[in-house]
Amino acid sequence: MKDIFKKLGAVGSEYAPIPFWSWNNRLEKDKLLAQIRDMKAAGMGGFIIHARTGLTTEYLSEEWFALVEACLDEAKALGMNAWIYDENGWPSGFVGGRLLEEEENLAPYLVKEERTEFDETAFAVFEKTGAGLRRLQKGEVSGDGIYHTVYVRRSPANTDILEPKVVDKFLALTHEEYYRRFSERFGKELVGFFTDEPQYFRWATPFSYAVAELWKKEYGEDIADRIIDLFYDDESTYPFRVRYYTAMNTLYTENYYKRLYDWCSAHGCKLTGHSVEESRLFMQMWGCAGCTPSYEYEHIPGIDNLARNGSAKLSARQVGSAAGQLGKKQVLTETFGCSGYDVSPRELKAIAEKQYVHGVNLLCHHLYAYSLAGQGKTDHPPCFSPHMTWRKQFPEFNTYFTRLGWLLANSETCVNCAVINPLSSVYLKYNRFDEAAAARVDEAFDKLQETLNRYGILYDLVDERLLRGYGCVQEKSLKVGKRAYDFVVVPECENLSAFTKEVLEAFVENGGKIMAAGVPLYTDGKADEWEFLHSDTTFEEIASKGKIRLETDGRAEYTYRKGDGFEF
């Protein structure tokens, strides 16, 4: 025990909080350097330079880079870690507006209209027949006189991050410009880049011409032939919907996150950040069709947790599970934003602890403001700069989370139960303008999580994409990357993938224990039988084989972890 206390007393800056440092006014070098020294005195391990609302110094100008250089010098002198937020505002990917100047960079989306004549400018036109919707070609007439017409529009405010050429432009105009000036600092005082809420167009049915290219390459089909299936809730449309949103997520993960990750790895620095709307399954459809796969392509996976009552039971457990499976030592949370100026230190501590208990271990305060002038006063408070009211106690707060972060980063959750993530069931009936069916998947999953919690069961979530990449059955265990599970819980869901079915069937055949809260009706969107799937264990048995004995009201948060020479 003395050994642990000694180690906790000497935890390095890599585990200490790194706040968003909002550069939100006319910047002055002396004030910037003074604020770095203030952050050091407050127990912060570094900072994330974040161009933000109110900034009048030109973003990515020579003056900007000169100020960044001065801050890097100060970070090096003080032994602090500097990170660069990769955008001016958010979401990441538009280079402060520069990429929005060219139409080919803009994010596409789909709209459907019913017309009385064939429109040659449309992406695709359909007629309704007794056998369903059929695509019409130029010159064909709709039998009932109604033309179900799908158009591609582009958002003037968003870039198409699913398109590799757009992401390459983003890297060239942002990351390459930092590397050109500071290459010798990469991986040293300049640790890496923070990417924030990258997303396809979230306010309608998303699209990208990149998905049309993938469709042709992977399936040999013209995606326009069945694009209408995204707008009608019918069992015949389910296979297309599952394939479509799986493809969108693949492009999001590989053409954005993997591209940035590979660039950072090749240039000796790290990538962290987070996707948008991680707290609910159906809300993940708003920007990426699933957050978890992107964690594979972050050196430090991250989440966002806003406001006082934000629930982390899904978002933090998702990222904590994936990090454990992928062997990622650190997990970041951008947190506290929108909690208000009147939030107490006790409330902030509880907000962070509810995330740390699920595997988060690196704190990013939202927000350390350069200035409170203008919109700085109302920019998603609280504020953790010298304007805060409990400044004298702030170092103690940060030291606590630095030490807690070290304990968690240097230990593993003692978990023997895997819960399959039911996100693909959301794909079946997802409609951006009527999300009731999608939200019901969350409602059922919430109840399952509460049940597991009440029984004192420690569990990981298993994403189907990560399962496909890292999963296999070994004897009576399901292995996903670096984690192995003796029990698998299948949630109430309508759809899972063919690979997931194959793995679960092998798990059952090998004598693995399954708790089936529900039995899927579809495999990759096609009606299917899952005869092999039935419960051969109980929640009581799963709990009895775990590391802890605990019954709760379903709201308590807990964990059990083991490190080198310690467990807690």
Side-chain angles (χ1 to χ4, degrees):
M1 206 56 162
K2 288 181 180 178
D3 238 13
I4 295 301
F5 287 131
K6 186 176 180 181
K7 289 178 180 178
L8 288 174
V11 174
S13 61
E14 67 267 33
Y15 300 101
I18 46 172
F20 268 178
W21 185 15
S22 174
W23 285 18
N24 62 355
N25 207 292
R26 183 71 197 175
L27 303 174
E28 298 175 6
K29 176 181 173 181
D30 289 346
K31 184 174 179 179
L32 290 170
L33 300 185
Q35 290 187 351
I36 293 175
R37 293 190 288 271
D38 175 71
M39 285 186 263
K40 176 71 173 180
M44 296 178 180
F47 47 83
I48 302 170
I49 295 173
H50 183 356
R52 205 165 169 95
T53 301
L55 178 69
T56 56
T57 299
E58 185 182 348
Y59 177 60
L60 298 183
S61 63
E62 289 307 318
E63 181 183 5
W64 171 273
F65 286 117
L67 292 169
V68 170
E69 183 174 25
C71 292
L72 293 176
D73 287 340
E74 192 70 9
K76 181 179 180 180
L78 296 175
M80 299 179 76
N81 300 313
W83 292 77
I84 303 294
Y85 185 98
D86 64 11
E87 191 52 88
N88 181 4
W90 64 91
S92 291
F94 65 100
V95 196
R98 289 176 63 181
L99 291 186
L100 300 177
E101 296 169 5
E102 299 177 31
E103 184 176 346
E104 67 176 5
N105 299 331
L106 301 180
Y109 61 95
L110 302 172
V111 296
K112 183 193 74 73
E113 298 178 5
E114 291 185 2
R115 294 190 167 271
T116 56
E117 58 185 22
F118 188 96
D119 187 348
E120 296 180 27
T121 68
F123 184 64
V125 180
F126 300 82
E127 68 165 340
K128 186 171 285 188
T129 71
L133 288 154
R134 183 182 75 88
R135 187 180 180 190
L136 297 173
Q137 301 299 325
K138 183 180 178 180
E140 291 188 297
V141 177
S142 171
D144 63 1
I146 299 174
Y147 296 80
H148 302 263
T149 307
V150 179
Y151 295 94
V152 176
R153 308 291 191 213
R154 289 187 184 265
S155 165
N158 301 85
T159 52
D160 183 6
I161 62 161
L162 276 59
E163 173 55 62
K165 291 180 292 186
V166 175
V167 179
D168 287 345
K169 290 177 187 178
F170 173 55
L171 284 166
L173 293 172
T174 306
H175 301 65
E176 291 285 358
E177 289 299 314
Y178 283 102
Y179 189 75
R180 185 162 66 86
R181 293 166 175 83
F182 309 126
S183 59
E184 294 183 359
R185 301 172 182 268
F186 272 51
K188 299 174 184 174
E189 61 268 25
L190 200 169
V191 179
F193 291 87
F194 187 108
T195 199
D196 198 15
E197 300 188 353
Q199 56 194 263
Y200 50 56
F201 187 70
R202 65 182 292 181
W203 304 110
T205 302
F207 183 68
S208 172
Y209 286 102
V211 79
E213 292 175 17
L214 180 148
W215 211 267
K216 179 67 72 174
K217 179 180 177 182
E218 293 293 319
Y219 311 119
E221 300 172 3
D222 183 352
I223 199 171
D225 288 344
R226 296 307 318 160
I227 201 72
I228 195 69
D229 287 351
L230 297 175
F231 298 93
Y232 289 95
D233 180 13
D234 180 276
E235 190 177 56
S236 66
T237 69
Y238 293 171
F240 181 90
R241 287 166 176 258
V242 170
R243 183 184 285 184
Y244 184 82
Y245 285 113
T246 299
M248 293 292 281
N249 180 256
T250 296
L251 294 176
Y252 174 84
T253 302
E254 296 182 1
N255 287 356
Y256 186 82
Y257 268 101
K258 187 176 186 298
R259 232 170 183 78
L260 268 63
Y261 177 84
D262 288 347
W263 187 96
C264 288
S265 296
H267 291 78
C269 66
K270 295 180 180 179
L271 177 67
T272 191
H274 69 90
S275 298
V276 67
E277 306 293 359
E278 308 106 316
S279 62
R280 308 288 287 173
L281 294 171
F282 84 89
M283 289 166 63
Q284 292 177 36
M285 300 298 293
W286 296 355
C288 61
C291 301
T292 305
S294 67
Y295 302 143
E296 180 177 2
Y297 300 115
E298 289 185 287
H299 298 89
I300 302 178
I303 60 169
D304 186 11
N305 192 82
L306 299 177
R308 303 187 200 193
N309 300 315
S311 171
K313 68 179 182 180
L314 177 63
S315 58
R317 192 176 288 276
Q318 276 184 156
V319 71
S321 300
Q325 292 154 1
L326 297 168
K328 308 277 187 179
K329 187 172 184 178
Q330 288 189 285
V331 178
L332 176 143
T333 176
E334 173 207 326
T335 192
F336 304 142
C338 303
S339 297
Y341 281 116
D342 61 340
V343 67
S344 69
R346 178 174 291 180
E347 287 176 290
L348 293 172
K349 180 172 177 285
I351 290 169
E353 287 175 337
K354 285 181 180 179
Q355 300 169 74
Y356 273 56
V357 73
H358 297 308
V360 167
N361 53 42
L362 182 60
L363 194 62
C364 169
H365 306 77
H366 186 300
L367 187 73
Y368 187 108
Y370 174 82
S371 170
L372 289 187
Q375 292 183 56
K377 287 186 282 294
T378 57
D379 188 3
H380 305 87
C383 177
F384 294 95
S385 49
H387 312 88
M388 67 190 299
T389 56
W390 49 285
R391 195 67 185 169
K392 289 181 181 179
Q393 294 77 31
F394 196 36
E396 184 179 349
F397 181 92
N398 289 322
T399 298
Y400 169 76
F401 281 105
T402 299
R403 292 174 176 174
L404 182 58
W406 180 89
L407 280 170
L408 294 171
N410 289 280
S411 61
E412 283 285 332
T413 305
C414 297
V415 58
N416 68 347
C417 179
V419 178
I420 305 299
N421 187 322
L423 180 61
S424 69
S425 293
V426 176
Y427 293 178
L428 286 181
K429 303 174 183 178
Y430 184 71
N431 182 332
R432 185 64 178 91
F433 302 106
D434 182 4
E435 297 174 323
R440 283 195 288 274
V441 179
D442 275 287
E443 291 165 9
F445 200 61
D446 283 346
K447 291 177 182 176
L448 174 61
Q449 285 192 287
E450 184 178 323
T451 298
L452 292 164
N453 186 296
R454 281 194 284 107
Y455 278 95
I457 296 171
L458 295 176
Y459 62 94
D460 277 344
L461 299 181
V462 175
D463 175 82
E464 290 194 86
R465 178 185 165 105
L466 293 188
L467 179 65
R468 187 169 66 249
Y470 296 92
C472 65
V473 175
Q474 290 187 352
E475 298 181 346
K476 294 183 179 182
S477 294
L478 173 65
K479 194 169 188 297
V480 184
K482 296 182 179 297
R483 293 264 172 96
Y485 309 97
D486 298 325
F487 298 93
V488 173
V489 175
V490 177
E492 183 180 329
C493 59
E494 292 187 89
N495 182 78
L496 290 173
S497 74
F499 184 82
T500 300
K501 182 180 181 182
E502 179 184 323
V503 168
L504 291 179
E505 198 159 12
F507 181 69
V508 169
E509 288 175 358
N510 278 28
K513 295 290 190 84
I514 280 189
M515 177 68 197
V519 178
L521 302 174
Y522 304 92
T523 301
D524 288 329
K526 298 176 182 177
D528 196 10
E529 298 293 333
W530 289 62
E531 303 97 332
F532 73 91
L533 186 60
H534 60 271
S535 297
D536 56 10
T537 187
T538 62
F539 290 124
E540 288 85 357
E541 182 184 10
I542 298 173
S544 73
K545 302 297 183 181
K547 269 286 188 180
I548 60 177
R549 299 291 183 273
L550 177 70
E551 290 187 11
T552 80
D553 60 0
R555 294 177 296 175
E557 307 286 355
Y558 48 84
T559 188
Y560 192 97
R561 301 179 69 93
K562 189 171 184 178
D564 184 12
F566 66 94
E567 54 187 286
F568 59 97

